[in-house]
Amino acid sequence: MLDRVTSMRVFVRAASAGSLSAAARHLGMSPAMATKHVDAIEQRLGVKLFHRTTRKLTLTEAGSIYLDDCQRILAD
């Protein structure tokens, strides 16, 4: 089981960087692990958080809402 706080950090960093690889580098983990964290969130919530292409990530509507929540939670 993946740590939910770490998953939120990966998600927030990926959203700001537009890349899971960049988020992984910043957080000192492999891109595969960063992907697992985001996949775990999406599975737990039952929604897609990103539109993924080979070049970039963009937030879905649900992703945008979840980003606001994560930023608030992580700031606290």
Side-chain angles (χ1 to χ4, degrees):
M1 180 170 206
L2 299 173
D3 176 61
R4 289 183 182 194
V5 173
T6 301
S7 294
M8 283 192 271
R9 287 186 177 121
V10 170
F11 170 72
V12 169
R13 180 58 62 176
S16 67
S19 163
L20 282 167
S21 295
R25 277 191 304 275
H26 178 75
L27 296 169
M29 65 178 63
S30 70
M33 183 54 73
T35 300
K36 285 181 183 182
H37 277 283
V38 173
D39 288 346
I41 295 170
E42 289 178 334
Q43 186 175 15
R44 192 171 61 250
L45 297 177
V47 296
K48 287 292 181 189
L49 299 173
F50 290 113
H51 296 290
R52 300 178 190 190
T53 69
T54 56
R55 296 282 179 201
K56 69 176 182 172
L57 297 175
T58 54
L59 289 169
T60 63
E61 184 177 341
S64 182
I65 293 166
Y66 188 66
L67 178 62
D68 291 339
D69 293 341
C70 286
Q71 289 172 327
R72 186 175 23 76
I73 290 167
L74 293 172
D76 289 344

